[in-house]
């Protein structure tokens, strides 16, 4: 284990301005906090953070990162708080340690590795500071290096996770060495026999000639020079894991692989690439089917190079890649494009290249702090990743809500969603989801998508589903209503009501189907009388309809403006003068609603909303129906609107509800609990408001409240 002064010396060797005092304090703090805790190896626990800090010095990271590395498990595994870390070591260290603690919690939530891709994105999205990710990788690397102390089942699980999640992450941010080491350890663990035999084979080849790679490089360099080509030749032995992957992909034996050693010839231009290829092929035997020209036919990610396999210098099978400097640059730096290609994703290159470049600057920087300070990871900051109760990860656009989440799970879940628990607590459906939230959608078969949702959902899937539903639902209601209005009207007039009759008049109403006519009548675009007169052109109006029409015709002004000194002003257009009027208690119409009047026996005209179910009763008495509308003065009156509300079942929630309504100038006229469970209750609240807009404002205010899970205007 690194001693305290050794670690400090290491940091000072590349960063002379490092905060020595803070490094010393962090070392001692970690030691004290982890105290007598032991690792599976029997070593004191604090040896782990110390080794992680040691790995971080290899990346030449700033003192903030080294200190955060020393403290990375203190909040997770000891009684240390983030506040304590902040007080002792400052904001930056505290933020990074906090990020690492959150990552640790997220790791525990993930139930399976099936969604490795989403999980990697989540880790990237949560690592707002690149140092969080670098420390996480160093942490994993040290855990892998000490893996042999763990129980066999645990070793296999951790190794698979490393191959699925962490090695690709390391590759994604351009840390090739870390990636290779993680892969090698995991490979040795998961496929011990294959690993051992490949290593033995490589050792055997190396023993035959330990200078094989340099010798081949030298020979290839000479071949190029002799033909007057300026070239840079490099070469390397491939890692056991990548050899094994190739063997699997090609279903080949070790001996059949020609690319245990790979060499690169880099030249100035494309023409020279083909010249160099000619030289290689004329001098060495080609291995059949190994030649690929990605210069004339680039890979989908833009990768360009010539690949060929030959029995090369020293009579060894090798792979040779020939390319220009420019192609090489793109091939090496375009980590993202490269990676995305392998993952079958569309290219998302910009951000990764940025990180790769950042790391390169870091390697050369004398003062890494400058470069790391305030550098934020900007990958996937347009996405959030949330867990289902089973631990599956769902990726959504930023600002998504539980409704978006529900639709992402399944349309049927979205359509029937009534509420959501976020991290175990009932939260409003409009709550904006955060990375790592666990979301449980509460559903009810009686629930339908609401137009209100359209205001806050962000995913196209949710938007489309809501609109589709609302459109279909409204139309369905209008069709039912329209059909009933017509049937009752015809019956009331003792006329035959037949679909055939309606088919004949489809063009009159610019309708394609009978349902179109029903919908128009239901919505009030066309009146029942319009249709009746179209079907029976010569039919004479009934007496009452004549009366209504004759009253309505003269002038709206007369009807709207009250006569001086006479009772309440007429708020509604289309009424019969002198007839009393009242608002129906079933649907509580508000100025702004579409309304109809029903001429009652003895109580004058009752005003209902067009979608009120109570209208069914009067369906067979069309002569009672009045076409009415709101007048301008209606705004000055108070009306009763009814809300259906779902509240968290907690103390104080009802008080909060009544406060919110009062603060928005509403007045509760009545309140009725209709359903109650352990976690929430459902209530109907009658609120006195000026008009529909006033009620909508109150609904919006209630929706913004934390204790109210659901609020909508009640249908009944
Ligand atoms: Mn750790």
């Amino acid at each position: 284990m690194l001693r305290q002064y050794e670690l400090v010396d290491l940091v000072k060797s590349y960063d002379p301005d490092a905060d020595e005092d803070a490094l010393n304090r962090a070392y001692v703090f970690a030691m004290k906090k982890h105290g007598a805790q032991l690792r599976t190896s029997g070593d004191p626990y604090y040896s782990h953070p110390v080794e992680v800090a040691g790995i971080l010095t290899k990346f030449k990271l700033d003192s903030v990162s080294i200190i955060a590395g020393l403290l990375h498990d203190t909040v997770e595994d000891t009684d240390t708080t983030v506040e304590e870390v902040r007080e002792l070591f400052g904001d930056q260290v505290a933020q990074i340690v906090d990020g690492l603690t959150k990552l640790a919690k997220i790791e525990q939530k993930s139930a399976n590795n099936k969604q490795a891709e989403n999980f990697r994105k989540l880790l990237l999205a949560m690592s707002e500071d690149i140092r969080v990710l670098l420390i996480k990788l160093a942490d994993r690397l040290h855990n892998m290096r000490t893996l042999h102390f763990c129980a066999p089942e645990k070793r296999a699980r951790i190794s698979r996770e490393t191959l699925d999640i962490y090695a690709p992450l390391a590759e994604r941010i351009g840390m090739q060495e870390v990636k290779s080491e993680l892969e090698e350890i995991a490979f040795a663990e998961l496929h011990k026999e294959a690993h051992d035999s490949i290593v033995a084979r490589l050792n055997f080849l190396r023993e035959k000639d330990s200078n094989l790679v340099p010798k081949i490089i030298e020979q290839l360099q000479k071949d190029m020079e002799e033909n007057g080509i300026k070239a840079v030749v490099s070469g390397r032995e491939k890692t056991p894991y990548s050899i094994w992957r190739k063997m699997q992909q090609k279903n080949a034996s070790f001996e059949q692989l020609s690319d245990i050693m790979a060499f690169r010839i880099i030249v100035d231009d494309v023409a020279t690439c083909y010249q160099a290829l000619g030289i290689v092929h004329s001098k060495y035997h080609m291995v059949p089917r190994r030649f690929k020209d990605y210069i004339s036919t680039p890979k989908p990610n833009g990768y360009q190079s010539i690949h060929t396999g030959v029995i090369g210098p020293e009579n060894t099978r090798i792979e040779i890649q020939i390319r220009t400097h420019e192609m090489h640059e793109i091939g090496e730096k375009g980590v993202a494009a490269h990676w995305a290609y392998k993952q079958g994703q569309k290219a998302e290159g910009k951000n990764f290249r940025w990180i790769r470049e950042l790391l390169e600057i870091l390697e050369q920087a004398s003062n890494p702090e400058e470069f790391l300070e305030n550098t934020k990871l900007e990958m996937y900051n347009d996405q959030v990743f949330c867990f289902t109760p089973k631990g599956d990860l769902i990726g959504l656009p930023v600002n998504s809500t539980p409704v978006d989440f529900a639709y992402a799970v399944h349309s049927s879940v979205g359509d029937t969603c009534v509420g959501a628990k976020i991290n175990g607590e009932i939260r409003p459906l409009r709550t904006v989801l955060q990375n790592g939230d666990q979301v449980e959608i509460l559903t009810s078969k009686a629930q339908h998508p609401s137009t209100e949702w359209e205001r806050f959902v962000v995913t196209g899937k949710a938007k489309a589903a809501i609109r589709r539903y609302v459109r279909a639902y409204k139309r369905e209601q209008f069709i039912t209503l329209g059909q009933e209005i017509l049937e009752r009207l015809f019956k009331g007039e003792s006329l035959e009501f037949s679909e055939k009759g309606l088919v004949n008049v489809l063009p009159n109403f610019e309708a394609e189907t009978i349902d179109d006519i029903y919908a128009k009548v239901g919505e009030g675009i066309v009146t029942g009388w319009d249709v009746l007169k179209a079907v029976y052109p010569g039919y004479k109006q009934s007496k009452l309809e004549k009366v209504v029409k004759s009253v309505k015709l003269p002038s709206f002004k007369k009807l709207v403006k009250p006569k001086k000194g006479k009772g309440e002003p007429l708020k509604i257009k289309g009424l019969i003068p002198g007839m009393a009027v009242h608002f129906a208690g079933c649907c509580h119409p508000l100025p702004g609603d579409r309304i109809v009047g029903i001429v009652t026996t003895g109580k004058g005209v009752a005003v209902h909303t067009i979608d009120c179910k109570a209208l069914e009763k009067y369906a067979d008495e069309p002569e009672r129906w009045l076409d009415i509308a709101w007048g301008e003065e209606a705004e000055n009156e108070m009306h009763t609107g009814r809300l259906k509300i779902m509240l968290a079942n907690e103390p104080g929630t009802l008080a909060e509800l009544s406060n919110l309504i009062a603060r928005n100038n509403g007045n509760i006229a009545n309140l009725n609990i209709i359903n109650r469970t352990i976690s929430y209750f459902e209530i109907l609240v009658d609120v006195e408001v000026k008009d529909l807009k006033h009620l909508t404002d109150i609904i919006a205010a209630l929706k913004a409240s934390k204790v109210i899970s659901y609020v909508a205007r009640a249908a009944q």
Side-chain angles (χ1 to χ4, degrees):
M1 185 182 78
L2 275 176
R3 285 157 196 272
Q4 193 172 332
Y5 71 89
E6 287 172 329
L7 179 68
V8 174
D9 282 352
L10 268 174
V11 179
K12 296 204 85 175
S13 71
Y14 61 84
D15 184 7
D17 300 331
D19 187 345
E20 202 171 326
D21 169 57
L23 283 166
N24 281 317
R25 283 192 290 119
Y27 192 105
V28 174
F29 185 84
M31 231 168 104
K32 274 196 187 151
K33 283 291 185 175
H34 288 295
Q37 291 176 354
L38 290 181
R39 300 204 88 208
T40 334
S41 61
D43 288 336
Y45 192 91
Y46 63 81
S47 65
H48 166 66
V50 168
E51 292 302 327
V52 168
I55 292 170
L56 293 169
T57 63
K58 298 259 157 51
F59 308 159
K60 294 191 169 60
L61 293 187
D62 63 336
S63 6
V64 166
S65 311
I66 308 295
I67 292 166
L70 285 168
L71 306 179
H72 81 271
D73 277 333
T74 53
V75 175
E76 176 73 5
D77 293 340
T78 77
D79 60 359
T80 312
T81 63
V82 174
E83 281 323 304
E84 203 175 345
V85 173
R86 191 186 313 278
E87 251 170 56
L88 292 169
F89 301 99
D91 278 345
Q92 284 198 42
V93 173
Q95 258 177 37
I96 295 172
V97 172
D98 190 33
L100 286 159
T101 309
K102 281 183 189 144
L103 283 194
K105 290 202 175 110
I106 288 293
E107 275 177 303
Q108 287 161 14
K109 267 191 201 172
S110 175
N112 61 58
N113 293 329
K114 267 186 295 177
Q115 298 149 307
E117 169 62 10
N118 266 348
F119 195 77
R120 282 191 295 266
K121 286 183 182 170
L122 172 66
L123 292 184
L124 284 170
M126 293 213 37
S127 311
E128 281 182 345
D129 187 315
I130 191 172
R131 289 173 288 193
V132 171
L133 200 61
L134 296 174
I135 296 167
K136 185 74 219 164
L137 287 171
D139 178 33
R140 176 53 61 131
L141 186 56
H142 184 247
N143 285 335
M144 288 303 283
R145 284 178 182 172
T146 52
L147 189 66
H148 49 282
F149 293 112
C150 296
E153 323 83 65
K154 202 180 167 193
R155 293 209 295 253
R157 185 181 58 77
I158 292 176
S159 297
R160 258 191 302 275
E161 194 182 75
T162 298
L163 282 184
D164 288 343
I165 314 275
Y166 294 96
L169 266 183
E171 182 180 28
R172 188 179 277 200
I173 63 169
M175 306 182 77
Q176 285 297 332
E177 271 180 49
V178 172
K179 176 213 155 204
S180 297
E181 190 177 347
L182 289 174
E183 280 178 350
E184 290 315 314
I185 301 170
F187 173 43
E189 181 57 45
L190 291 172
H191 306 277
K192 194 170 181 344
E193 280 176 27
H195 176 264
D196 290 353
S197 78
I198 291 174
V199 170
R201 195 84 189 99
L202 284 171
N203 286 341
F204 171 74
L205 290 175
R206 234 178 273 127
E207 268 165 36
K208 266 198 342 196
D209 192 343
S210 58
N211 274 328
L212 201 54
V213 172
K215 273 187 194 164
I216 295 173
I217 292 176
E218 198 185 327
Q219 183 57 50
L220 289 173
Q221 191 81 56
K222 227 165 102 192
D223 295 338
M224 295 299 125
E225 274 163 22
E226 277 168 7
N227 289 278
I229 290 175
K230 213 177 95 199
V232 179
V233 181
S234 63
R236 71 200 154 89
E237 192 179 76
K238 294 201 166 175
T239 64
Y241 181 66
S242 64
I243 291 170
W244 183 72
R245 287 271 299 266
K246 268 267 158 67
M247 285 166 66
Q248 283 199 315
Q249 278 164 15
K250 295 190 193 301
N251 200 15
S253 72
F254 188 92
E255 273 67 27
Q256 285 171 298
L257 290 181
S258 60
D259 38 12
I260 288 149
M261 276 174 282
F263 295 83
R264 264 183 207 135
I265 300 173
I266 301 173
V267 298
D268 287 341
D269 52 47
V270 173
T272 318
C273 286
Y274 289 99
Q275 261 180 284
L277 179 70
I279 294 161
V280 168
H281 280 176
S282 64
K283 183 154 185 196
Y284 305 105
H285 282 295
M286 262 181 87
V287 176
R289 290 186 298 275
R290 297 290 303 152
F291 175 74
K292 291 205 179 71
D293 182 357
Y294 294 119
I295 291 182
S296 59
T297 317
K299 285 190 181 182
N301 65 349
Y303 174 86
Q304 283 189 301
S305 190
I306 292 169
H307 293 189
T308 189
V310 295
I311 312 292
E314 307 295 315
N315 215 15
T316 308
R317 292 167 74 124
I318 56 171
E319 184 188 81
I320 296 180
Q321 300 174 351
I322 305 169
R323 55 176 80 165
T324 66
H325 289 286
E326 194 190 347
M327 291 170 191
H328 183 62
E329 187 82 353
I330 293 167
E332 287 295 286
K333 283 202 178 166
V335 188
H338 174 62
W339 198 88
Y341 168 67
K342 284 209 289 191
Q343 301 293 317
Q345 302 273 314
K346 61 177 190 237
E348 302 167 295
K350 243 174 90 192
N351 288 328
F352 310 110
R353 194 165 305 167
W354 174 80
I355 292 215
R356 174 65 183 254
E357 278 159 12
L358 177 94
L359 287 168
E360 278 178 4
I361 294 167
L362 259 176
E363 278 166 19
Q364 297 149 16
S366 59
N367 181 5
E369 207 149 346
E370 277 171 30
F371 294 96
L372 284 174
E373 206 156 330
N374 302 323
T375 40
K376 297 278 180 196
L377 276 186
E378 284 178 4
M379 284 178 285
Y380 305 110
N381 60 358
D382 54 348
Q383 288 182 65
V384 292
F385 300 90
C386 299
F387 290 95
T388 67
K390 284 182 185 164
D392 289 342
L393 263 180
I394 308 259
L396 296 162
V398 77
N399 289 330
S400 285
T401 63
V403 176
D404 293 294
F405 183 91
Y407 276 105
V409 172
H410 197 274
S411 334
S412 67
V413 178
D415 284 347
T416 57
C417 137
V418 281
K421 279 187 179 173
I422 301 177
N423 301 322
E425 279 174 41
I426 299 257
R427 307 285 294 158
L429 284 176
R430 64 179 309 125
T431 308
V432 171
L433 296 174
Q434 306 296 327
N435 266 316
D437 277 348
Q438 185 175 54
V439 185
E440 183 186 344
I441 299 298
L442 310 173
T443 60
S444 154
K445 277 185 185 146
Q447 179 66 13
H448 302 301
S450 151
T451 39
E452 294 295 319
W453 294 352
E454 267 191 285
R455 296 191 193 177
F456 57 76
V457 297
V458 298
T459 51
K461 192 177 176 190
K463 279 185 187 163
I466 294 164
R467 268 189 225 131
R468 199 181 319 121
Y469 180 83
V470 169
R471 218 181 297 130
Y473 179 72
K474 275 191 183 160
R475 183 172 155 86
E476 201 180 291
Q477 290 209 317
F478 286 141
I479 289 172
T480 311
L481 181 62
Q483 184 176 6
E484 279 176 13
I485 288 172
L486 288 178
E487 277 178 14
R488 305 310 179 197
L489 177 65
F490 279 60
K491 194 180 160 196
E493 300 293 316
S494 305
L495 293 169
E496 192 206 351
F497 177 73
S498 72
E499 297 203 335
K500 204 183 153 211
L502 292 179
V503 170
N504 291 335
V505 300
L506 285 178
N508 303 31
F509 303 100
E510 289 170 1
E512 283 178 9
T513 64
I514 296 171
D515 277 352
D516 289 344
I517 294 188
Y518 291 155
K520 283 186 177 189
V521 173
E523 203 178 342
I525 298 168
V526 167
T527 69
W529 280 101
D530 294 337
V531 178
L532 187 142
K533 276 183 267 175
V535 177
Y536 297 99
Y539 189 73
K540 286 187 179 169
Q541 297 172 356
S542 77
K543 212 175 168 189
L544 189 89
E545 205 245 354
K546 268 188 214 155
V547 173
V548 174
K549 288 275 176 191
S550 69
V551 174
K552 268 163 86 179
L553 281 174
S555 147
F556 276 127
K557 267 188 190 168
K558 253 188 194 171
L559 298 169
V560 172
K561 291 263 163 83
K563 281 171 190 160
K564 269 180 193 168
K566 265 209 168 184
E568 57 169 339
L570 277 172
K571 299 161 291 196
I572 293 169
K573 298 189 274 194
L575 291 171
I576 301 164
M579 206 177 243
V581 62
H582 69 273
F583 294 101
C586 41
C587 52
H588 302 281
L590 296 176
D593 281 331
R594 289 186 57 88
I595 45 174
V596 288
I598 295 291
V599 182
T600 64
T601 39
K603 281 195 201 158
V605 177
V607 178
H608 293 263
T609 61
I610 188 96
D611 56 358
C612 178
K613 283 199 178 137
L615 292 175
E616 284 168 19
K617 279 189 292 215
Y618 306 100
D620 55 354
E621 297 168 283
E623 66 277 7
R624 288 173 177 270
W625 292 59
L626 288 182
D627 276 340
I628 53 173
W630 295 100
E632 287 82 3
E633 283 87 349
E635 288 160 22
N636 303 324
E637 297 277 311
M638 289 301 270
H639 307 262
T640 307
R642 179 167 285 180
L643 298 177
K644 191 175 179 187
I645 293 172
M646 206 183 278
L647 282 170
N649 193 356
E650 286 159 15
T653 51
L654 268 177
E656 161 95 356
L657 172 73
S658 56
N659 270 337
L660 275 170
I661 292 175
R663 250 182 276 144
N664 286 280
N665 302 319
N667 183 35
I668 296 181
N670 195 10
L671 192 147
N672 188 13
I673 296 180
I674 52 172
N675 191 9
R676 187 171 186 154
T677 72
I678 296 167
S679 50
Y680 64 89
F681 49 90
E682 219 176 334
I683 51 178
L684 286 178
V685 182
D686 290 344
V687 190
E688 288 178 344
V689 291
K690 278 189 300 222
D691 55 14
L692 188 59
K693 191 185 168 296
H694 187 188
L695 187 69
T696 316
D697 288 346
I698 290 178
I699 289 176
L702 294 178
K703 281 193 165 168
S705 161
K706 284 178 187 171
V707 301
I708 292 158
S709 318
Y710 171 87
V711 55
R713 203 164 161 203
Q716 274 295 303

